[in-house]
Amino acid sequence: MGRPIDARGWEFEVETATPDTFVRLGKLTSWTHNPGENEETADTTTFDSEGFYEQDVMQRGATIEVSGLYAALSGTPDAGQDYIDKTWAFRFGEESRGTLRYRHVSQDEWTVWECTVTPGEQGGETNAKTSWGATFTRCGAPTTAAVVTTP
């Protein structure tokens, strides 16, 4: 039997305006993958169903929500957070789609989504750090890509 994997071992990266250039989303403290988000079904129950419900899935969707701390290292914002906050979040129509890839450090493949992003709330209380977050909504089917390591 396999061992459980650590939640902190997941990596999330977004593609910038420069094709094939990805930046890491840093300072994350939690994430949630919802593979049933935006699912749509059609009721197929008939008299022949003999009182039992039946359905067909007509649409599948998914979201990933990430949360963390708003980060600035030596006055420089986290590259992934900054790209989402200042660039991706202000795109509309076809331009609103971008690319997210994610994987656990134990995996040798990225899961790649074409998706939209919704910026999360930011805030904090007196003795807290400022929060940061985003929700990615998958558009179409996911793909995969090999992890390329540079020597």
Side-chain angles (χ1 to χ4, degrees), residues 62-122:
T63 59
I64 289 179
E65 182 177 346
V66 295
S67 301
L69 300 176
Y70 183 74
L73 304 171
S74 303
T76 304
D78 175 80
Q81 292 179 10
D82 196 52
Y83 180 74
I84 288 171
D85 290 346
K86 294 181 180 171
T87 304
W88 195 353
F90 291 98
R91 293 181 173 171
F92 300 95
E94 289 180 30
E95 298 287 317
S96 67
R97 292 188 181 194
T99 304
L100 167 76
R101 68 183 186 183
Y102 65 96
R103 73 178 186 108
H104 190 268
V105 294
S106 64
Q107 299 171 333
D108 59 2
E109 266 188 345
W110 292 101
T111 298
V112 182
W113 286 9
E114 179 181 18
C115 56
T116 59
V117 68
T118 303
E121 295 179 354
Q122 293 180 357

Side-chain angles (χ1 to χ4, degrees), residues 125-148:
E125 296 180 9
T126 304
N127 294 318
K129 300 291 186 179
T130 302
S131 62
W132 182 89
T135 301
F136 300 91
T137 302
R138 192 181 73 210
C139 301
T143 59
T144 59
V147 174
V148 178

Side-chain angles (χ1 to χ4, degrees), residues 52-72:
F52 292 97
Y53 178 77
E54 295 184 34
Q55 72 175 22
D56 288 341
V57 175
M58 302 305 290
Q59 170 181 298
R60 299 246 187 231
T63 59
I64 289 179
E65 182 177 346
V66 295
S67 301
L69 300 176
Y70 183 74

